[in-house]
Amino acid sequence: MPGVDLHTDIVFLSGVGPQRAKLLKEQMGIATLGDLLTYFPYKHIDRSKLYYSHELTPEMPYVQLCGRFLSFTVEGVGRKQRLVGHFSDGHGVVDMVWFNSIPYIRKAYDELHTYVVFGKPTFFNGRYNITHPEVDPAEQVELSALGMFPNYSIPEKAKKRGVTQRMMQGLVRNLLRLLQAPLPEVLPADLVGRMRLMTRDEAVRAMHFPQNALELSAASYRMKFEELFFVQLNILRYTQLRKRQYVGLPVNRVGDLFNDFYYHHLPFELTGAQKRVIREMREDMRSGRQMNRLLQGDVGSGKTLVALMAMLIALDSGFQACIMAPTEILAEQHAQTFRHFLGDMPVRVELLTGKVKGKARKDILEGLAAGGVHILVGTHAVIEDAVCFSNLGLVIVDEQHRFGVAQRSKLWGKNATPPHVLVMTATPIPRTLAMTVYGDLDVSVIDELPPGRKPIRTLHFFDNRRAQLYDHVRREIARGRQVYVVYPLIKESEKIDLENLEDGYEMLRAEFPDYRISKVHGQMKPQEKDEEMRRFATGETQILVATTVIEVGVNVPNASVMIIENAERFGLAQLHQLRGRVGRGAEQSYCILITSYKLAEDTRRRMQIMTETNDGFEIAEEDMKLRGPGTLDGTRQSGLAFELKVADLVRDAQVVQQARDAAREVVTADPEQCLPAYAAMWQHLRELKQQEVDWSGIS
Ligand code: ADP
Ligand code: MG
């Protein structure tokens, strides 16, 4: 028997006419039979189980009780008039309440028969109530046949125009009946067997109408696995292709510069994590393949130094290297740091930002083209067309989320053979997300801070306790430390935000007349801004009042206090970044979060997380839980190839790993994509890719 074509228009399903078809298409994106088949319910209601009234809690979404009505009363008047059936199951009384059709209901049920009632319990006036329950005579109810009822998400608009749960259930039943031949399997048979997965056919059916909770969870596991497996298959196949296509520049010379630096210029011992990461990059760059590596390390973990050493490795093989930073201040700081670290070594480091003009710029460009400039540090300016390298071997992108993919890929073109690429980020990306979104990059993690750092102490203050706070600030400054005070600034409320900052600045001047205070915000001219930053960095001023311009990268080891005003307005990731500006020296550092007294629940939770942990990865996980993975910086730009319909990167972290392992095995087993056992799988991947989410329109 020929199978039903799942691309068939939904209008051909029994129970769907032209009008319903239009509604389903426009409001719910269900255009074909296949769309309906994978329009999985968001929850099921278990009607195979009876509860006793004394077991009820207000959290229960739906319950089913069996018992008798003791009596009926009509209560209230006018619009509030309602019929109350006092229902007892022998363990207690629960009130059934109807506001509509009172005469009809009163006739339909009596005090003699036993009924099964179903609905959502609420606790009110010392007793449980169920409003508008479903009531069936007990002798007509066969519990085991009721099973799990699917609930589909139906948008308001569709609801208004008549789409109901019952209708959806009916349509899906019709469809499943129509599909008599089993749905073809898309996962390799050996995988299904080995992992004891449900077949696709069983799973799809059970997703809608499972016999019980156990079957539902097996089906849902299978569908999640399938979804994540194809995401990983796509990534790994692409990675493999790239590895075969691009030859990596040969960075294989044992390095004089590297060794000289390591043995004679490095002012401290590298941490174990730094050593490991450098080793990983060294292996990559001499492997004959292009390096594509993501380096994650919490703020202050010493990524900048690792970047410098990676560049020295490239230089040793006769290549140039380039590092891009997201802001001018950061680029300048990097250039300074590198020059300082390198001392008198024969390495020419140049800084290229929008500010470098005229002859100075011309000199740098010529030096790059001729090969005399070894390391270029810059902002976006380095990807302009005028910038040509003689022999670019390594590109490092710092704080990657501020650079779009398109901008990065412009850099690839700066050499005939694409240079090695290292992407550094201090925004910890939860492992499962990294594996999925940056799945084509190899990942290195610096999970160790340089020795001697004391963990930052984070305190949460309500804004009525400033006096106490300022005493603390005074003590720190008296010890020679410096203090950041940060204000939020967003476009929508820019004017008020700046006023707040100015008010805060004046308040601090009045409070600390003996100290000098810097002020930095986005409205200032770049020169003024830089001058103020410089005054703080050199210790001329003791307090820096700023908006979030200091969020990224600034390094003033002597600063030991970070005060964040209106902390409720910052997200977790941002708070953690800001906190990372202190705790860079050997002193005990503090981060003080100031909020108003009244806080929303999730704000309270954010503050609590901040005071409880300094671990960037833990914070990133929590952040993802609070906000959902879609909102993390860069997710969209980097583009998940397909939308996830059943899997959740937070909840299904383990499945992500399993899917990746399985996909890796398959790609290794069938690199040419020609084994018959995998044909259906590759075909399915191609079909999925045709429906690929198009992010290109989203900037
Ligand atoms: P990141 O860029 O990861 O935020 P940085 O590279 O700016 O961190 O390093 C923070 C500070 O720690 C810098 O002052 C740096 O010189 C110092 N540092 C880096 N590595 C070490 C180490 N192994 N031992 C001691 N100090 C280090
Ligand atoms: Mg840094």
Side-chain angles (χ1 to χ4, degrees):
M1 187 179 52
V4 176
D5 182 1
L6 288 174
H7 297 98
T8 307
D9 196 306
I10 192 75
V11 76
F12 296 109
L13 182 66
S14 69
V16 183
Q19 262 182 346
R20 270 194 185 169
K22 191 159 177 275
L23 203 57
L24 290 173
K25 274 178 209 170
E26 286 172 4
Q27 302 297 334
M28 300 165 77
I30 302 172
T32 64
L33 298 183
D35 292 340
L36 179 63
L37 195 64
T38 54
Y39 198 89
F40 295 128
Y42 70 94
K43 70 169 182 195
H44 285 81
I45 297 167
D46 186 357
R47 293 201 63 179
S48 65
K49 184 169 163 43
L50 282 179
Y51 286 88
Y52 291 120
S53 53
H54 65 273
E55 295 174 316
L56 302 191
T57 68
E59 286 79 37
M60 289 183 171
Y62 290 93
V63 294
Q64 198 160 238
L65 306 169
C66 184
R68 290 180 184 199
F69 288 104
L70 301 176
S71 63
F72 289 90
T73 51
V74 174
E75 297 174 7
V77 287
R79 286 244 216 95
K80 286 195 171 166
Q81 192 178 64
R82 58 199 182 271
L83 175 66
V84 181
H86 308 283
F87 187 85
S88 165
D89 65 350
H91 294 266
V93 177
V94 178
D95 285 347
M96 304 296 134
V97 183
W98 291 270
F99 290 90
N100 305 325
S101 321
I102 293 178
Y104 168 81
I105 302 278
R106 185 63 195 86
K107 274 202 211 101
Y109 312 123
D110 59 39
E111 290 93 335
L112 301 173
H113 289 90
T114 305
Y115 296 95
V116 170
V117 297
F118 172 79
K120 171 159 184 44
T122 52
F123 194 72
F124 181 69
N125 274 352
R127 193 177 265 196
Y128 280 99
N129 301 259
I130 297 180
T131 304
H132 292 175
E134 280 180 35
V135 182
D136 293 295
E139 73 254 22
Q140 288 175 24
V141 177
E142 198 189 318
L143 283 178
S144 61
L146 278 175
M148 306 277 285
F149 267 60
N151 267 42
Y152 298 90
S153 84
I154 304 173
E156 269 323 302
K157 264 192 177 163
K159 262 186 211 159
K160 283 212 181 82
R161 297 174 56 188
V163 180
T164 63
Q165 293 298 344
R166 206 168 277 253
M167 172 190 143
M168 288 297 294
Q169 289 163 6
L171 295 182
V172 173
R173 275 213 179 85
N174 292 348
L175 175 59
L176 293 179
R177 216 169 291 136
L178 192 67
L179 302 173
Q180 285 180 2
L183 293 165
E185 184 52 75
V186 292
L187 291 175
D190 61 335
L191 193 61
V192 175
R194 188 156 40 93
M195 296 201 57
R196 303 214 175 114
L197 297 173
M198 265 188 180
T199 66
R200 183 155 214 267
D201 186 70
E202 290 165 344
V204 168
R205 288 173 196 270
M207 284 295 279
H208 294 282
F209 294 104
Q211 292 301 319
N212 49 48
L214 217 62
E215 196 185 47
L216 176 62
S217 92
S220 134
Y221 178 82
R222 143 83 211 208
M223 295 315 293
K224 284 173 180 174
F225 180 86
E226 177 188 317
E227 187 169 73
L228 294 167
F229 173 84
F230 279 100
V231 168
Q232 293 298 332
L233 189 65
N234 185 48
I235 292 168
L236 294 173
R237 184 199 51 119
Y238 171 77
T239 312
Q240 195 191 41
L241 206 71
R242 194 189 52 207
K243 280 187 178 158
R244 281 205 276 170
Q245 234 163 34
Y246 293 135
V247 188
L249 293 168
V251 176
N252 46 19
R253 208 169 298 165
V254 184
D256 290 344
L257 289 176
F258 182 88
N259 287 335
D260 184 25
F261 179 77
Y262 187 72
Y263 292 109
H264 302 120
H265 288 77
L266 193 59
F268 35 64
E269 182 70 10
L270 291 177
T271 63
Q274 283 172 319
K275 283 184 194 164
R276 187 186 65 235
V277 168
I278 289 170
R279 220 166 23 238
E280 284 166 348
M281 291 190 296
R282 202 166 187 166
E283 287 304 318
D284 278 0
M285 287 194 283
R286 67 170 169 221
S287 69
R289 292 192 302 262
Q290 185 202 17
M291 172 169 83
N292 267 286
R293 193 167 275 282
L294 176 69
L295 173 57
Q296 294 191 46
D298 216 341
V299 280
S301 60
K303 293 185 296 298
T304 311
L305 184 64
V306 166
L308 175 61
M309 295 183 70
M311 291 195 284
L312 292 179
I313 293 174
L315 263 52
D316 272 333
S317 288
F319 293 102
Q320 295 166 296
C322 156
I323 178 167
M324 282 204 294
T327 65
E328 289 194 351
I329 292 179
L330 252 187
E332 281 164 27
Q333 218 178 39
H334 278 337
Q336 258 176 32
T337 306
F338 294 156
R339 285 180 184 139
H340 171 77
F341 268 132
L342 291 168
D344 58 0
M345 287 179 61
V347 176
R348 183 169 162 204
V349 178
E350 290 292 354
L351 173 71
L352 189 66
T353 65
K355 269 197 294 194
V356 181
K357 298 212 169 78
K359 178 155 173 1
R361 184 178 197 85
K362 198 162 152 273
D363 281 351
I364 293 175
L365 293 182
E366 281 173 8
L368 283 170
V373 173
H374 304 110
I375 293 178
L376 182 68
V377 185
T379 52
H380 295 73
V382 304
I383 57 174
E384 284 166 17
D385 291 333
V387 182
C388 296
F389 293 83
S390 133
N391 194 9
L392 179 62
L394 171 65
V395 173
I396 299 179
V397 182
D398 192 11
E399 305 296 346
Q400 92 116 24
H401 56 290
R402 308 248 167 143
F403 280 110
V405 166
Q407 286 170 315
R408 265 195 287 148
S409 64
K410 252 187 122 167
L411 265 167
W412 291 198
K414 292 237 167 254
N415 209 52
T417 305
H420 296 290
V421 177
L422 178 71
V423 173
M424 301 201 297
T425 176
T427 310
I429 304 163
R431 254 174 62 75
T432 55
L433 189 67
M435 240 190 274
T436 309
V437 177
Y438 303 98
D440 62 322
L441 302 179
D442 298 309
V443 179
S444 290
V445 180
I446 304 187
D447 50 5
E448 185 184 349
L449 290 178
R453 299 267 174 88
K454 291 202 182 73
I456 303 163
R457 284 188 59 196
T458 302
L459 307 166
H460 176 199
F461 271 68
F462 294 118
D463 53 13
N464 54 6
R465 280 176 61 201
R466 271 172 205 284
Q468 197 186 344
L469 171 62
Y470 289 149
D471 284 344
H472 179 69
V473 167
R474 225 182 300 278
R475 274 198 302 276
E476 284 295 306
I477 298 180
R479 289 197 186 113
R481 304 278 92 79
Q482 289 166 283
V483 179
Y484 292 104
V485 183
V486 177
Y487 282 83
L489 177 72
I490 57 167
K491 275 239 166 54
E492 290 74 45
S493 54
E494 190 170 345
K495 202 159 158 262
I496 301 170
D497 286 347
L498 283 175
E499 277 169 24
N500 282 343
L501 180 139
E502 293 293 346
D503 289 350
Y505 175 71
E506 291 306 329
M507 192 161 71
L508 287 166
R509 283 200 352 163
E511 186 72 32
F512 301 102
D514 303 336
Y515 299 136
R516 283 180 300 274
I517 306 180
S518 288
K519 182 172 68 178
V520 176
H521 58 75
Q523 295 277 291
M524 289 161 66
K525 292 206 185 76
Q527 273 116 325
E528 287 177 279
K529 227 170 21 184
D530 289 355
E531 176 56 18
E532 288 293 292
M533 283 300 301
R534 194 194 57 74
R535 275 163 32 96
F536 185 69
T538 54
E540 228 174 277
T541 56
Q542 288 81 36
I543 302 176
L544 173 68
V545 180
T547 53
T548 43
V549 289
I550 59 159
E551 184 184 336
V552 177
V554 178
N555 190 21
V556 182
N558 189 48
S560 65
V561 182
M562 165 64 66
I563 298 175
I564 305 176
E565 296 276 356
N566 293 120
E568 60 264 62
R569 290 178 52 199
F570 292 96
L572 266 182
Q574 221 178 357
L575 288 172
H576 182 65
Q577 285 294 304
L578 285 169
R579 177 167 62 184
R581 296 307 112 213
V582 296
R584 310 190 136 233
E587 304 304 321
Q588 175 64 56
S589 291
Y590 301 87
C591 172
I592 292 152
L593 309 169
I594 303 185
T595 69
S596 60
Y597 189 70
K598 271 187 111 173
L599 290 180
E601 188 47 41
D602 62 329
T603 312
R604 198 176 292 279
R605 176 90 189 112
R606 285 206 306 276
M607 300 305 133
Q608 190 195 352
I609 293 165
M610 284 295 293
T611 54
E612 281 173 2
T613 181
N614 270 311
D615 181 333
F617 282 89
E618 213 172 293
I619 288 174
E621 298 276 358
E622 291 291 341
D623 197 29
M624 195 152 96
K625 277 186 209 153
L626 284 175
R627 300 196 302 162
T631 48
L632 272 184
D633 278 331
T635 312
R636 289 206 145 179
Q637 286 173 13
S638 331
L640 252 180
F642 334 108
E643 217 176 344
L644 295 181
K645 283 184 184 156
V646 274
D648 177 311
L649 293 177
V650 182
R651 275 185 285 119
D652 306 319
Q654 264 201 316
V655 193
V656 177
Q657 182 66 56
Q658 290 160 348
R660 186 170 176 89
D661 294 345
R664 195 190 291 284
E665 277 178 35
V666 167
V667 170
T668 312
D670 186 15
E672 307 291 340
Q673 304 185 16
C674 61
L675 296 182
Y678 298 123
M681 177 196 77
W682 293 119
Q683 176 57 27
H684 187 67
L685 179 63
R686 277 188 288 277
E687 274 169 27
L688 281 173
K689 296 215 27 119
Q690 273 164 18
Q691 310 159 17
E692 198 161 317
V693 192
D694 182 11
W695 298 121
S696 62
I698 300 162
S699 62

